[in-house]
Amino acid sequence: MLRGWLRKSELNSSSHSLNTLDEPQNLEIAMRAAMHIMNDDLEAAEAGLGQGNSSFHKLGKGMITFLRATLGFEPEIMREASERLAEAEGQASTDHRRAQKNSHAYRSAIYPAGSEFALCHAQSQLMGAVVGVLNESLTESIKGFYKLRKAYITLDGILEAESRYMRGLGGVGHSSPGRRSVDSLRSTRSARSMKGVPGGFEEAKKGKRMDYSIHPQEKHEAGGDEPDLAQGQDEASDEEFYDADEAIDAPDPSTYTGHLEVDGARGKLADLSVDADTHDPPSPKMLPVREGMLDHDPDSDVFANPIDVFIHTGANLCFGMLLIMISMIPPAFGKLLFIVGFRGDRDRGLRMLWQASKFHNINGAMAGLILLGFYNTIVGFSDIIPESTSRDQAVEGYPKERCESLLADMRVRHPKSHLWLLEEARMNAVNRRLSAAMTLLNQSSKSPLKQVEALDMFEKSLDAMYMHDYTLCANSFMACIKLNNWSHALYYYIAGAAHVEQYRHYKTSSPKAAAIHAKKATEFFREAPKHAGKKKFMARQLPFDFFVTRKLAKWQHRAQERKVALIDAIDVSPVEEMIYLWNGYKRMDPSQLDASLAALSWVENTSHHPTWANESADEHAILSVLRGVIYRNLGQWDKATEALKKVLSIDKAELKGGHKDDWTAPAAHYEMGVICWMRRRDAIGVHESAAQKDEREAKWVKECEGWIEKAAKWEAYELDARIGVKIATAQDTLKKWRDGRAS
């Protein structure tokens, strides 16, 4: 009774902030202020958002801090983002309750009452979840994954309201008929029958039903029974966790499952469970088959009200990001999918982000940034991807024309932002125009945002490495140490590797210059291990930190054994190896690829390295893999295959144990698959009948599948999580190819 009286008083005392006039004004002011961050103007954004205390203002504060946190990974910014997003989450939950009961609050023809605040709540949860997952603590990461499922429930309800609205109009959007975009890990029980379901179905601690029902007139306006949209976690603590059940999700043998173990994850989940009677984590309901998504353009009469625009763009941004993010969870962390309760859908997520990017607000800008980042980094890192098409609505592969159009639009919308200059540089690199990319990075002035400046410098460092500009590469990675604290061990290692190349270049022609570079390389190599392990992801050491530590131990052992200097104990070019691990060969033009071949040949020159013929099998395997990839990028399939077969002929036992590089054998299998995928294009271009072309293409694809399957089933190895991203993308692409043939 007391609680009801307090809530009634709360509604009466603040109803003025939820009327149909104040709400759009608060939204417009807050979103306009937040947009300043997309022009790198943090001060203007903070000043504008500091003038109000509405849910929209607090969400805006959370959004700009979230952007800074995910760009720079600085602990203090991540803590600030978590605090702001938690505050926004609480405010939105309160306002949602008020809006449902306040007759003066905005009523939409599309969405249930209070959906704008339900969206603010879900958006805060989603961004808070991302920050949590990026946290070094495993517990915080698990909490982050758990929040994802809460956000999902709200967003799914908002999108269902849109679907009902479209059905009420007697038509669907411009997209093709919908399909199930999310596969629930469990669908044997309905959401309403579950005990303690996160997301507001029941009070987490008291076991009482939360009152988020929709008024009869609102049901009529929205076109039917409404789902619970609010999350209502003012009483839900961070301890709402359930035990993960390992038995119910046997891995699909056709899917890359990874090998990285999350130490203690099972125990952590058990410790965090507060419901001893719940053995199965509750799953949100499976997304129903919908006739079509609401994908009208911004000038449509459907979006006459700015609040509806905010809800539509925010829901598409958040749900799209959520679907893509879940689809990209490394298979090695698959147990955590039990917390989330559903699987992602990359294509559906991309379509939703493209829809949001049409709109000129903060949600549209964020969607555009995520899209360009996805295509220029994730897709750019992979080799076996679907063929992109010239269709206006294409999302498969790398839709070059559509990405270029989006980038041009964003540059016009936000002319002062360095974020779009960075994406333009990345786009040039993806299209093998490294010189143009470097020109953009060199010509741009420094961004007022330290996080963006650090990203610019890191991109410049990588591009310099791909271009074999070793001086710039070393200097740029050393600059990254002052701008970013993500992986100083890696930065020192690559800077040292760049000096190794210069040492080799001057060794015979200028011994004095060679000695200078040898000293710098040794200095950086000795410094690198001191910084390894300081940064963690989900309580685990970063993969490259482990790689750097092992690699340097290998060289030090060899130097002691051979009684030579550390720099003379190095065999295959460490720069070229790092280029491969970042898939830099995919960004090089033919002249740069030839330069890489020349750099690799140094180790085989007996005047430089008289003992090469007697070197360990893993060093020969590294050389062969790198050469094979370069030849493949040059289109020289036979040479590429010949180089990779040298690795395949080595006994696996010779590549394991001690300080050996054990990643070369699975990488060679993957690369053989890439060659087959590339060679299927030969079948497309030959002068044969359509049936003959299909048969030839199918032959190459089948062989590709065989190689990829072998790589996917490989035992644990050092870089399996990194190479596994490529393998998982390849499997997804091959499945789409098969599905396309079957349809």
Side-chain angles (χ1 to χ4, degrees):
M1 181 182 295
L2 178 61
R3 178 185 297 171
W5 180 83
L6 288 173
R7 286 187 175 176
K8 184 176 181 180
S9 300
E10 184 182 58
L11 288 169
N12 292 335
S13 65
S14 58
S15 61
H16 66 278
S17 66
L18 291 175
N19 63 49
T20 55
L21 293 178
D22 290 346
E23 204 178 322
Q25 290 176 358
N26 285 332
L27 174 62
E28 182 181 357
I29 292 170
M31 294 301 101
R32 189 192 311 129
M35 282 287 280
H36 286 296
I37 196 67
M38 304 312 297
N39 263 325
D40 298 1
D41 193 345
L42 177 62
E43 291 185 6
E46 291 282 6
L49 292 168
Q51 295 177 6
N53 288 311
S54 72
S55 288
F56 307 123
H57 286 81
K58 291 183 178 181
L59 174 64
K61 290 179 182 179
M63 288 182 74
I64 64 174
T65 316
F66 166 78
L67 183 60
R68 293 172 61 206
T70 52
L71 291 177
F73 300 104
E74 296 143 306
E76 63 276 10
I77 303 298
M78 295 180 76
R79 281 193 296 271
E80 182 183 359
S82 295
E83 292 169 0
R84 285 188 165 189
L85 290 167
E87 184 179 0
E89 186 179 336
Q91 182 67 50
S93 180
T94 300
D95 284 346
H96 180 268
R97 288 196 302 269
R98 293 171 179 168
Q100 286 187 309
K101 299 180 182 298
N102 191 335
S103 60
H104 297 288
Y106 171 69
R107 292 295 188 265
S108 170
I110 305 174
Y111 309 101
S115 290
E116 62 271 37
F117 300 114
L119 173 65
C120 288
H121 190 273
Q123 202 160 353
S124 300
Q125 281 187 325
L126 179 57
M127 290 186 288
V130 173
V131 173
V133 171
L134 294 175
N135 197 290
E136 296 185 11
S137 163
L138 178 60
T139 300
E140 291 301 316
S141 297
I142 292 173
K143 289 180 181 179
F145 277 104
Y146 192 75
K147 273 194 171 186
L148 291 180
R149 69 179 289 120
K150 295 182 178 182
Y152 161 81
I153 295 171
T154 299
L155 296 168
D156 184 37
I158 292 175
L159 293 170
E160 175 60 24
E162 287 191 350
S163 181
R164 272 197 298 274
Y165 174 78
M166 293 300 294
R167 292 196 297 270
L169 292 179
V172 297
H174 304 300
S175 63
S176 59
R179 61 181 179 85
R180 296 183 186 269
S181 68
V182 180
D183 296 326
S184 174
L185 292 181
R186 291 199 181 94
S187 58
T188 58
R189 295 183 297 173
S190 69
R192 293 186 181 274
S193 69
M194 297 176 192
K195 178 180 178 182
V197 175
F201 288 111
E202 295 179 326
E203 289 185 349
K205 294 184 178 179
K206 303 295 185 182
K208 297 179 181 178
R209 178 77 179 176
M210 298 292 281
D211 183 14
Y212 293 133
S213 59
I214 307 299
H215 295 299
Q217 65 268 27
E218 294 163 13
K219 292 182 182 180
H220 176 72
E221 290 170 3
D225 293 335
E226 297 299 337
D228 294 329
L229 289 176
Q231 299 300 298
Q233 267 83 32
D234 56 314
E235 299 178 30
S237 73
D238 286 335
E239 298 177 10
E240 290 178 291
F241 288 86
Y242 296 83
D243 291 336
D245 187 345
E246 299 179 51
I248 58 93
D249 191 28
D252 181 349
S254 65
T255 303
Y256 177 74
T257 55
H259 306 284
L260 182 62
E261 292 296 330
V262 185
D263 296 334
R266 175 70 177 172
K268 289 282 187 180
L269 288 169
D271 293 341
L272 289 169
S273 175
V274 296
D275 188 350
D277 296 328
T278 301
H279 301 290
D280 293 336
S283 298
K285 61 184 179 181
M286 185 179 293
L287 188 66
V289 178
R290 297 188 176 121
E291 294 182 0
M293 61 182 288
L294 177 58
D295 57 0
H296 291 60
D297 291 332
D299 57 359
S300 169
D301 292 340
V302 173
F303 301 119
N305 192 289
I307 295 180
D308 287 345
V309 173
F310 170 71
I311 298 172
H312 175 71
T313 56
N316 276 273
L317 164 66
C318 293
F319 207 77
M321 181 170 69
L322 182 57
L323 291 178
I324 292 174
M325 187 163 54
I326 296 302
S327 74
M328 291 168 52
I329 290 178
F333 296 103
K335 290 181 181 179
L336 295 176
L337 285 172
F338 292 114
I339 306 172
V340 181
F342 62 92
R343 303 183 188 278
D345 184 333
R346 188 172 297 186
D347 286 355
R348 175 77 186 279
L350 288 170
R351 288 188 175 89
M352 299 184 81
L353 289 174
W354 278 111
Q355 172 65 11
S357 71
K358 298 177 183 177
F359 294 79
H360 291 214
N361 59 13
I362 186 66
N363 291 329
M366 291 280 284
L369 190 62
I370 294 170
L371 281 168
L372 292 173
F374 174 81
Y375 285 116
N376 291 329
T377 56
I378 304 300
V379 175
F381 179 71
S382 304
D383 304 290
I384 300 178
I385 58 176
E387 291 287 344
S388 59
T389 67
S390 59
R391 293 185 294 109
D392 292 339
Q393 303 301 314
V395 300
E396 300 87 0
Y398 186 88
K400 183 172 178 289
E401 294 179 2
R402 198 175 185 190
C403 287
E404 289 175 347
S405 177
L406 175 63
L407 177 61
D409 186 27
M410 291 298 175
R411 289 290 303 275
V412 172
R413 293 192 213 174
H414 315 285
K416 298 180 182 179
S417 176
H418 285 245
L419 287 169
W420 311 111
L421 284 172
L422 174 62
E423 291 304 333
E424 185 173 353
R426 287 174 171 172
M427 189 176 292
N428 276 300
V430 167
N431 289 285
R432 299 186 187 269
R433 297 193 296 264
L434 286 170
S435 296
M438 186 62 74
T439 298
L440 273 173
L441 293 170
N442 285 331
Q443 288 180 348
S444 63
S445 57
K446 288 185 178 180
S447 170
L449 287 177
K450 177 186 175 183
Q451 296 83 8
V452 178
E453 183 185 355
L455 280 177
D456 283 343
M457 186 58 67
F458 184 71
E459 193 69 21
K460 180 187 291 187
S461 304
L462 289 177
D463 287 350
M465 180 171 69
Y466 306 151
M467 296 173 69
H468 307 98
D469 188 336
Y470 303 122
T471 299
L472 180 60
C473 175
N475 292 340
S476 298
F477 272 111
M478 293 306 295
C480 286
I481 293 174
K482 299 178 181 179
L483 294 170
N484 179 283
N485 64 355
W486 180 244
S487 182
H488 287 185
L490 178 66
Y491 301 159
Y492 276 113
Y493 177 82
I494 299 180
H499 283 291
V500 169
E501 296 303 320
Q502 292 174 297
Y503 163 77
R504 291 179 173 183
H505 176 76
Y506 290 112
K507 188 174 182 180
T508 54
S509 62
S510 179
K512 185 176 180 180
I516 293 173
H517 289 295
K519 182 179 179 181
K520 287 185 177 180
T522 303
E523 175 188 341
F524 293 154
F525 285 150
R526 293 191 190 284
E527 187 69 23
K530 299 177 184 178
H531 300 271
K534 290 187 176 182
K535 194 72 177 178
K536 290 181 171 59
F537 175 71
M538 296 185 67
R540 293 190 61 86
Q541 185 173 338
L542 298 178
F544 270 132
D545 281 9
F546 184 85
F547 173 87
V548 166
T549 303
R550 182 205 42 91
K551 202 78 173 178
L552 290 171
K554 177 181 183 179
W555 296 339
Q556 290 166 351
H557 175 76
R558 186 180 293 164
Q560 294 172 358
E561 188 178 61
R562 300 177 182 179
K563 295 180 173 52
V564 297
L566 177 65
I567 198 166
D568 290 320
I570 301 170
D571 283 335
V572 179
S573 166
V575 164
E576 294 300 322
E577 184 179 30
M578 195 56 61
I579 287 173
Y580 169 72
L581 295 176
W582 286 94
N583 210 3
Y585 294 132
K586 189 178 178 181
R587 289 159 170 76
M588 294 183 184
D589 63 26
S591 65
Q592 291 157 347
L593 290 167
D594 287 338
S596 283
L597 286 174
L600 289 174
S601 67
W602 187 94
V603 76
E604 293 180 307
N605 189 322
T606 54
S607 62
H608 299 149
H609 200 313
T611 62
W612 169 249
N614 299 320
E615 286 299 340
S616 59
D618 66 317
E619 287 292 334
H620 283 271
I622 294 172
L623 179 63
S624 294
V625 168
L626 301 186
R627 272 194 176 143
V629 176
I630 295 172
Y631 285 136
R632 188 251 297 165
N633 276 275
L634 286 168
Q636 300 178 21
W637 315 126
D638 292 338
K639 285 187 176 182
T641 302
E642 181 183 358
L644 293 171
K645 283 184 175 179
K646 292 180 180 179
V647 184
L648 302 177
S649 66
I650 300 174
D651 188 336
K652 287 196 298 184
E654 294 187 62
L655 303 176
K656 296 189 298 183
H659 301 306
K660 294 178 180 178
D661 289 85
D662 62 355
W663 57 268
T664 52
H669 283 76
Y670 166 78
E671 293 297 337
M672 288 291 287
V674 177
I675 292 174
C676 294
W677 180 253
M678 298 298 178
R679 294 204 69 171
R680 91 195 191 289
R681 296 172 181 169
D682 297 345
I684 296 173
V686 295
H687 299 288
E688 295 176 339
S689 67
Q692 289 174 319
K693 290 179 181 179
D694 287 346
E695 184 179 352
R696 283 166 56 87
E697 183 179 359
K699 168 185 170 294
W700 284 114
V701 172
K702 183 177 181 180
E703 185 174 347
C704 172
E705 289 175 322
W707 289 113
I708 296 302
E709 184 178 1
K710 290 179 181 178
K713 293 180 178 179
W714 209 266
E715 61 194 50
Y717 56 97
E718 185 178 52
L719 295 170
D720 62 353
R722 191 168 188 83
I723 296 175
V725 172
K726 296 182 178 183
I727 293 173
T729 302
Q731 290 179 317
D732 183 61
T733 300
L734 291 167
K735 182 179 183 302
K736 288 178 180 177
W737 186 92
R738 287 292 181 195
D739 291 345
R741 280 298 184 93
S743 62

